[in-house]
Amino acid sequence: MRDRLRAIPVFENVRETEAEERVLPDNPLPLIADWLLAAHAAGQPEPHAISLSTVDRSGVPSSRVLIVKDIDGEGLFFATGADSRKGREIAANPRVAAHFHWPVVGRQVRIVGTAAPVGRGASEADFAERGHDAQLAAHLHQPGPLPDRAAALDEFERLAEKYPDEVPAPPSWTLFAITPTEVEFWEASVDRVHHRISYRRENSAWHRELLWP
């Protein structure tokens, strides 16, 4: 297995860029959005997918991939049930880490910050924008283990009959905002002297610096 893993090529699609500090914005969030859209334009599947890591009350971490719903000048937004594992862990400890990976363009973004709910109205508006099947699936979460897949399919069919058109948002459905305190941009270079730029928020200002590869 070791030999097979080492034989897998990396950075096949990397092109030389000039990620110089002088062309970077003062706020890293618009740059995240620019990189995401550039990855999409280059053919990266699901460029808005992000890995989100949380920790429980004992400090045990967990991670999962979800979809970013929006990015503005203050943060990134995602939605989930407040009673889900990530929702419960954020309630216990709002510190989170997140990570974009766009291998098609050889770029990554690492984010550290805090996550918090943004309000019921925004959560219901987010839910209303989901597809019908996704809305139904949001109602499938129940306490305890799932006995078998058939039980989930049966419950989905029951919900589809109950809500053939408009689906109400579950009471637990929550839109969260990640407010970053640290953002690191990583861009691959064919010579392996990769570009790394770090932003750190101190009070209300962002401070930017280059990092060693």
Side-chain angles (χ1 to χ4, degrees):
M1 187 62 182
R2 178 177 180 274
D3 291 340
R4 295 181 69 177
L5 290 175
R6 286 178 174 269
I8 298 173
V10 296
F11 307 136
E12 285 190 299
N13 301 315
V14 170
R15 51 184 173 76
E16 278 298 339
T17 58
E18 296 181 359
E20 298 180 16
E21 187 177 17
R22 63 180 174 83
V23 302
L24 299 175
D26 293 332
N27 184 335
L29 285 153
L31 186 57
I32 296 175
D34 288 347
W35 276 29
L36 190 158
L37 294 176
H40 176 63
Q44 175 66 55
E46 299 180 355
H48 52 343
I50 196 170
S51 174
L52 177 73
S53 297
T54 55
V55 294
D56 65 13
R57 293 182 183 277
S58 301
V60 177
S62 61
S63 183
R64 76 288 291 161
V65 176
L66 49 79
I67 297 297
V68 169
K69 300 297 188 70
D70 193 11
I71 302 173
D72 64 17
E74 296 297 324
L76 304 91
F77 299 82
F78 69 92
T80 187
D83 53 355
S84 66
R85 177 170 179 172
K86 52 186 171 295
R88 297 194 308 271
E89 291 181 348
I90 288 170
N93 185 341
R95 297 287 292 171
V96 300
H99 178 239
F100 285 106
H101 181 213
W102 301 302
V104 166
V105 291
R107 285 174 167 176
Q108 302 179 59
V109 177
R110 186 178 64 83
I111 300 161
V112 176
T114 57
V118 298
R120 188 62 193 163
S123 298
E124 291 183 349
D126 169 84
F127 188 83
E129 294 176 350
R130 292 170 64 86
H132 187 255
D133 284 354
Q135 290 177 333
L136 295 174
H139 282 267
L140 288 178
H141 178 73
Q142 297 184 20
L146 176 70
D148 51 45
R149 180 167 172 77
L153 294 173
D154 289 344
E155 177 62 10
F156 186 88
E157 290 184 6
R158 187 190 71 80
L159 289 166
E161 292 178 0
K162 182 177 181 179
Y163 303 116
D165 300 309
E166 184 176 350
V167 183
S172 66
W173 190 256
T174 305
L175 184 68
F176 286 88
I178 301 174
T179 302
T181 55
E182 177 184 346
V183 179
E184 181 185 324
F185 296 87
W186 183 96
E187 190 166 27
S189 177
V190 291
D191 58 11
R192 303 304 176 94
V193 184
H194 306 307
H195 303 280
R196 292 176 66 203
I197 304 102
S198 174
Y199 285 80
R200 289 181 180 274
R201 192 199 299 264
E202 296 179 9
N203 298 320
S204 59
W206 285 100
H207 297 271
R208 185 180 65 228
E209 61 186 0
L210 300 180
L211 301 178
W212 287 86

